[in-house]
Amino acid sequence: MLDIDRNEPCFCGSGKKYKRCCLPNVEAAAARISRALEERYPGSFIPRGFVGLMAQAVGMAEDMDEIPLPLDTALRVSLRIADAYYGPEGPDERYLQRLHDVLLETVRSHPQLTSTRLDHLRLPGLLEEVLEHPDSIGGPSELPAGERAAVEVARRLWDPDVVQDWFLELLLTLRSPLEPEVLEAVAWGAWCLAEGWNRGVNLFGLVVFDVTLREAAEASAELRNLADGPPEDASPEEREAWSDRLRAAARKYPFVDRMLSETLLDKVSGALEAVRKGEIHFGMPAWAFVNTLRALRPDTLVDLCTTGRALSARERQALTDSFLNAAYADWEPVSTMAQAALEAYASRAASEPLRHAAKCLADHLSDFALAVQRLAYLTAHHVAFSELLEEDPLPTGLPEGNPFRLELTDVHDDVKLRVYADELERTGQKKAADHVRSALAPLVPEEQPGRSA
């Protein structure tokens, strides 16, 4: 279960201490679930951590999108899993295999659990170790090499802090809307995770990572081909081919995201730091950020205009998901202009490493296959957007001498933006005009650039 000290702030967000908030409800739910399991299967091993997590899913107060798991549902699911292990006819292998398959599909697709599969800090290095020293893998010799590799990786991954991370993700998932079969599979994952705590084998990790030696070998070979990026003198066609391979690898081997991202982050860190420090001037026009500007609430815009200040890091962090969706909607013009600014910076960079870092960062703004590419884009977007907000009036990108003016508060005026689009098209900027017109339609969440199936 999720370890929460009695005197810590309650996980529900009330601000009260856990012992004076949700703990009594959690303890009452745990007592009910334990009693039901003990009455049906007296003396059988029931993982304490499983009961605790199910009780937390029931007893924690509702918080934003989280919905407490009904007690009768928690009892039904807990008893169904216990039946599969301790029923009169022995373990129900078919049912447990079905739970395994459903859980595996869930951790690949459910937003709350995807991070346990994609972003584990230690998995890439362990995969490399297992790949380089296959003869040192333990486990029963009768198991296929791939299964023994999976057991070895899971054994080495066992770590109390990691387990707590997984318990947290499982808890949040149990408190989200789930189909009955998915709910049972996620609860079974909690059972396996809690059971592994006692046995020193991370059974849940086997499901989460689904690692085979062959898959690790294939992924490692592809990583070696991709990690350096396209050659510096590559043609546009060769760079696009490299991007296609990168996207294909990220889809086929989702666990390599972290490894590739860390490798690429090392390569671009110097240029990324230069962006953060404002050493690169982007000077982008307002039309490139039209979706982002319209995602700001009118009262926020009034405040910005009144005080003449840019968004602070904390304020930016506090903005809603709609703001991020809008930032991604502006990806094409912002990333294109950021690439040009980075390449210009590379031509005058003080050192050879920084020149290469800037060029590499520019390359990676053209795709969203990896976490580091999204980080790079959002960093460039934030800096360029902050620059824009310091301008009064906003830079329009229209030819010098054009009388059209655009104030920050005009971005919610559809009539003014239509005039802006017409002016852009009249001066030969058709793509810019189309981008502004597309922002006049209601923004709907879309798949991030470069992540289409």
Side-chain angles (χ1 to χ4, degrees):
M1 64 181 176
L2 190 65
D3 285 340
I4 309 174
D5 187 89
R6 295 172 57 87
N7 292 309
E8 285 182 12
C10 188
F11 187 74
C12 75
S14 67
K16 300 177 183 177
K17 290 185 177 181
Y18 184 41
K19 65 183 179 182
R20 301 191 185 282
C21 190
C22 291
L23 180 58
N25 292 335
V26 170
E27 290 177 334
R32 287 285 305 276
I33 296 170
S34 295
R35 186 165 61 249
L37 291 167
E38 177 64 25
E39 288 174 355
R40 183 169 296 189
Y41 297 109
S44 296
F45 170 71
I46 305 294
R48 177 174 170 270
F50 165 77
V51 174
L53 193 73
M54 296 297 287
Q56 286 173 333
V58 172
M60 291 286 192
E62 185 171 343
D63 178 27
M64 297 179 66
D65 295 331
E66 295 175 39
I67 304 170
L69 184 66
L71 178 59
D72 59 346
T73 301
L75 288 168
R76 175 183 59 77
V77 170
S78 300
L79 290 170
R80 179 68 184 92
I81 294 173
D83 290 343
Y85 281 103
Y86 305 122
E89 298 181 3
D92 187 344
E93 297 290 352
R94 178 177 293 183
Y95 173 71
L96 292 174
Q97 182 61 50
R98 177 61 184 161
L99 290 184
H100 173 282
D101 294 344
V102 173
L103 180 59
L104 180 56
E105 180 60 32
T106 303
V107 298
R108 287 171 169 167
S109 60
H110 192 283
Q112 195 63 56
L113 290 178
T114 300
S115 61
T116 65
R117 182 174 173 82
L118 300 186
D119 295 332
H120 195 283
L121 292 174
R122 296 167 57 202
L123 178 63
L126 291 178
L127 283 174
E128 286 294 324
E129 289 179 26
V130 169
L131 179 65
E132 292 173 6
H133 307 286
D135 295 338
S136 67
I137 300 174
S141 58
E142 66 273 13
L143 285 179
E147 291 187 28
R148 290 171 57 217
V151 171
E152 178 69 7
V153 168
R155 184 186 68 78
R156 297 189 198 186
L157 281 172
W158 191 256
D159 178 280
D161 291 335
V162 171
V163 169
Q164 282 298 300
D165 289 342
W166 281 339
F167 271 134
L168 172 60
E169 303 302 336
L170 285 169
L171 175 62
L172 296 175
T173 305
L174 287 169
R175 290 164 60 84
S176 64
L178 299 173
E179 295 294 327
E181 187 177 47
V182 175
L183 174 61
E184 291 181 15
V186 172
W188 176 73
W191 179 295
C192 292
L193 184 57
E195 185 180 45
W197 183 278
N198 294 324
R199 297 185 181 184
V201 176
N202 188 351
L203 302 180
F204 181 59
L206 300 183
V207 177
V208 170
F209 296 116
D210 190 32
V211 176
T212 67
L213 198 60
R214 186 184 69 177
E215 187 179 40
E218 291 175 352
S220 180
E222 187 66 9
L223 283 176
R224 283 192 288 271
N225 292 329
L226 289 168
D228 289 332
E232 189 174 347
D233 58 351
S235 67
E237 292 76 15
E238 289 172 328
R239 291 178 183 275
E240 182 60 31
W242 177 84
S243 292
D244 289 342
R245 287 176 54 202
L246 180 67
R247 284 191 291 270
R251 284 195 298 267
K252 188 173 182 180
Y253 312 112
F255 55 82
V256 305
D257 184 290
R258 189 85 190 192
M259 183 185 293
L260 266 176
S261 288
E262 288 180 349
T263 300
L264 293 173
L265 190 57
D266 286 341
K267 295 179 181 297
V268 303
S269 58
L272 205 56
E273 186 61 21
V275 171
R276 291 192 180 105
K277 289 180 177 178
E279 295 174 7
I280 300 174
H281 180 65
F282 291 103
M284 297 184 194
W287 67 261
F289 292 98
V290 65
N291 287 290
T292 311
L293 287 165
R294 285 171 67 83
L296 291 175
R297 298 187 306 272
D299 57 333
T300 303
L301 289 174
V302 169
D303 183 45
L304 291 170
C305 291
T306 302
T307 61
R309 63 178 176 80
L311 291 172
S312 69
R314 178 171 294 181
E315 287 169 324
R316 183 173 173 79
Q317 183 65 37
L319 291 174
T320 61
D321 287 343
S322 64
F323 185 88
L324 277 180
N325 285 332
Y328 287 128
D330 287 329
W331 169 74
E332 187 169 0
V334 172
S335 64
T336 300
M337 294 183 191
Q339 282 179 286
L342 282 161
E343 287 166 357
Y345 175 78
S347 68
R348 62 179 189 275
S351 66
E352 188 74 6
L354 194 53
R355 181 172 71 84
H356 285 298
K359 286 189 173 182
C360 187
L361 182 58
D363 285 337
H364 285 281
L365 287 176
S366 65
D367 212 335
F368 267 47
L370 302 176
V372 69
Q373 294 171 322
R374 296 190 289 280
L375 167 67
Y377 168 71
L378 289 174
T379 301
H381 177 281
H382 169 55
V383 172
F385 187 56
S386 297
E387 282 183 7
L388 180 78
L389 293 178
E390 292 173 1
E391 300 287 337
D392 183 26
L394 296 175
T396 61
L398 292 167
E400 187 175 350
N402 189 296
F404 181 85
R405 288 172 59 90
L406 189 70
E407 306 290 345
L408 194 55
T409 49
D410 291 334
V411 297
H412 289 285
D413 184 339
D414 289 4
V415 173
K416 189 72 176 279
L417 287 185
R418 288 192 182 94
V419 174
Y420 183 26
D422 291 343
E423 283 295 305
L424 287 166
E425 185 164 3
R426 189 179 64 80
T427 56
Q429 302 184 65
K430 179 70 164 58
K431 284 189 176 181
D434 290 343
H435 188 68
V436 173
R437 290 178 183 127
S438 69
L440 293 173
L443 183 67
V444 295
E446 295 180 354
E447 196 162 340
Q448 293 170 5
R451 297 307 295 266
S452 57

